[in-house]
Amino acid sequence: MVKGVVVDAVNAVLANLCREFRELNSGHLATYIPPLARADPADFGIALASASGHRYQAGEADRLFTIQSVSKPFVLALALSELGAAEVFRRVGSEPSGEPFNAISLDPETGRPANPMINAGAIATTALVPAKGVEQRFSRILETLSGFAGRALDVDEEVYRAEAATGDRNIALAHLMRAAGSLTGDPSGALDVYFRQCAIRVHAVDLAVMAATLANGGVNPVTGARVVPEPVTVQVLAVMATCGMYDGSGDWLLRVGLPAKSGVSGGLVAVSPGRSGMGCYSPLLDTAGNPVRAVAALTVMSQELGLHLMHNPPPATPTLIEPGPGEGPGGAAWSRAGGDTAPGDPPAWVAAQGELDFTAAERLAYALAERLPEAGHGRAVIDLVHVTAVDAAAETLIRAVLERVTARGHVVGLVGEAAVPFSTQGVLLASRSAAAAWSRPPS
Ligand code: GLN
C-alpha cells in the first residue's frame, strides 16, 4: 500500500492553488463580531474530501475558526430531516433574495423570510428544529454538524458571547419576524441557539468532509455513518446553488457552477455532487461577504477539474473493472490489496473503462496504490484498454502519481491507446497478454 503517493499528488494540486491565490490581498476582515477582527488576514487553507472518503489539504487547512453562516445548510438539513420539505418551506422560502446576508428579506404579506441561507431565514430554520427547549435544540444541532464533520465539534465561547452582546441586527430581525408571525415562540431562545450554532469551531478539512457528506447522499464518506436521508441532500444542495453566496449567488453559479455556502469568518463549502466536497478558509471578504481567495481558487479549481454542474455529465459507468477470464495477470488472483509481495505473487493490476476525469483518476490511483507494497519494489500494470478518453485533469493527476510511484522504485507497465501520454512514466506494453508476460515474476 503506497497510499501516500496519491495523497501527495492531490495535495500538490491544492498546494498550487494555494500558492497562486495566497497573494490576493483584497477584501476586508469582518469586524462587527469583535473577535473576528483578530483573524490573521494572511491565512488561506483549502481542503478536498472525495465521496470515496479520502482527504486532501494545503495551507492553513487545520486552522480552527467559527463556522458562522456555513452552519446554515447543515441546520437546514436537520430541519428537513425532522419535518419534511413541505413544512420547512411553508415557513421559510426558497427564493434567492438578491440582497446581503443580513437584509430584512421578509415577504410583505406573510412575513416569511426569503430563504434559509440568509440570517432571517436561518434564525427561523433554527427555531424549527424540534426540541424540548433551547439546550436540547442546540445539542441536536451540534450533534448533527459533528456527524457531518465526522468528529465532535465544540463552541468558541468568546465568539458566541461577543455576537450575543453585539448582534442587534439579528435581534431586530427575530423580533420583526415574531411581529409578522413567521417566528413562533421566544425570539431570544431562537437567537441564543443561532448565535451558538454560528460559533461552532471547524477547520477547512472539517468543511470539506461536511461538504463531501452532502456530495455523498448524506452518508459521511469518512466515518460511513448516515447523517441525513438522501432526498434531504438534494433539497439542501438546490437551495445552496441558488442562495448560498448571498447577492453573489448568480455570478458564482455562472462561473463556478457548484452549490456552495460562505460565512463571515472566511469559511466556504462547495459541493460537487457524487464526487467531492471542498472546504476553504480565507478571512478576507469581498463586498458580498464571500471569502476572496476561496472564491478565486474554487473558480479555477472548478474549471481545471471540470466540476461545473452544467457540463454534460460523463456516462455513469464504473471506472474500475476486473479483467475477464484469460485477461489480466492470468491464472492467479488478479490483485492483492496491500501487504508485501512474495515471489510468485501476481503483480498489481488495475483496469479502468470509459472516460477518466479527475474523480475517476483518483479512484484508479487509489486502487493502484492499495495494491503496491509499501516496502520493496513492485511491478504494476495499469490497463487502460477500455478507456475512451482521459481529460486534462485526469492526465495531470495520473502523471503526478506515476512520478511518485516510480520514484519509490516501482515499475509500472501500461496497456492501451489511452496510456500513450504516460510513456515516459512507465513501460508501454502492446497488449494485455504482453503485459501479463511482462509482469510475471521470473520463475
Ligand atoms: N453569525 C453571523 C451573523 O449572523 C453569520 C453571518 C455570516 O456568516 N454571513 O451575522
Side-chain angles (χ1 to χ4, degrees):
M1 166 77 106
V2 292
K3 211 175 116 178
V5 296
V6 187
V7 176
D8 213 41
V10 181
N11 284 350
V13 173
L14 300 184
N16 279 339
L17 286 169
C18 233
R19 210 170 303 122
E20 191 177 344
F21 295 106
R22 194 180 276 286
E23 299 312 314
L24 217 54
N25 283 317
S26 58
H28 57 277
L29 292 176
T31 52
Y32 74 99
I33 303 173
L36 298 188
R38 294 203 307 264
D40 185 344
D43 277 351
F44 185 27
I46 178 161
L48 183 146
S50 62
S52 43
H54 306 300
R55 283 165 287 180
Y56 309 98
Q57 65 182 87
E60 282 78 43
D62 293 323
R63 178 88 76 239
L64 287 167
F65 57 93
T66 55
I67 188 166
Q68 300 299 338
S69 287
V70 181
S71 62
K72 292 170 182 172
F74 303 101
V75 175
L76 172 64
L78 172 60
L80 286 167
S81 309
E82 294 289 333
L83 301 167
E87 176 61 9
V88 170
F89 292 116
R90 193 173 68 77
R91 310 288 298 273
V92 184
S94 51
E95 290 302 333
S97 66
E99 290 184 309
F101 68 91
N102 55 8
I104 308 171
S105 284
L106 305 180
D107 184 287
E109 304 257 298
T110 60
R112 196 174 69 147
N115 68 69
M117 301 292 111
I118 55 169
N119 289 4
I123 295 166
T125 306
T126 295
L128 286 179
V129 171
K132 289 210 189 76
V134 166
E135 287 310 316
Q136 194 190 44
R137 181 164 297 119
F138 180 67
S139 352
R140 299 198 63 197
I141 288 174
L142 184 62
E143 201 179 302
T144 302
L145 267 62
S146 298
F148 271 107
R151 71 178 187 95
L153 302 176
D154 62 11
V155 170
D156 185 324
E157 294 293 336
E158 187 197 355
V159 173
Y160 155 63
R161 279 195 300 270
E163 187 170 12
T166 58
D168 294 323
R169 205 177 162 97
N170 286 325
I171 295 167
L173 272 175
H175 283 272
L176 275 175
M177 285 193 290
R178 186 171 63 165
S182 51
L183 185 70
T184 44
D186 165 28
S188 65
L191 285 162
D192 186 62
V193 178
Y194 171 75
F195 290 145
R196 279 200 266 171
Q197 137 196 348
C198 289
I200 292 173
R201 293 195 303 167
V202 290
H203 47 51
V205 180
D206 289 327
L207 292 185
V209 176
M210 295 173 85
T213 302
L214 289 175
N216 195 39
V219 173
N220 183 314
V222 177
T223 63
R226 173 162 294 285
V227 185
V228 290
E230 198 267 346
V232 163
T233 64
V234 176
Q235 294 151 2
V236 170
L237 291 174
V239 173
M240 287 167 74
T242 52
C243 310
M245 301 293 277
Y246 311 117
D247 37 341
S249 294
D251 192 50
W252 169 270
L253 191 59
L254 177 67
R255 292 194 295 145
V256 184
L258 296 174
K261 185 73 199 82
S262 60
V264 81
S265 54
L268 177 77
V269 289
V271 180
S272 176
R275 295 162 180 264
S276 54
M278 277 67 74
C280 291
Y281 174 55
S282 78
L284 290 175
L285 309 176
D286 64 20
T287 49
N290 295 320
V292 174
R293 294 187 191 111
V295 169
L298 282 179
T299 305
V300 169
M301 184 167 173
S302 170
Q303 282 158 6
E304 284 183 352
L305 305 188
L307 301 179
H308 200 295
L309 276 185
M310 307 308 168
H311 278 305
N312 285 325
T317 49
T319 311
L320 296 178
I321 52 172
E322 305 225 355
E327 299 176 344
W334 70 286
S335 64
R336 255 167 64 113
D340 292 327
T341 43
D345 264 358
W349 186 291
V350 289
Q353 69 176 10
E355 295 176 22
L356 297 190
D357 59 9
F358 184 81
T359 304
E362 190 234 13
R363 271 188 221 142
L364 179 70
Y366 250 98
L368 174 73
E370 273 166 8
R371 289 168 174 83
L372 280 170
E374 185 70 52
H377 299 168
R379 263 190 179 198
V381 172
I382 300 185
D383 173 353
L384 302 182
V385 170
H386 287 303
V387 167
T388 51
V390 180
D391 78 8
E395 187 174 325
T396 307
L397 181 60
I398 293 172
R399 201 182 300 289
V401 169
L402 287 177
E403 271 162 14
R404 288 167 171 81
V405 162
T406 50
R408 289 180 171 231
H410 302 297
V411 187
V412 181
L414 298 146
V415 208
E417 227 15 58
V420 173
F422 308 111
S423 60
T424 53
Q425 280 92 36
V427 182
L428 279 188
L429 301 155
S431 64
R432 283 184 170 150
S433 50
W438 171 84
S439 63
R440 247 189 306 274
S443 50

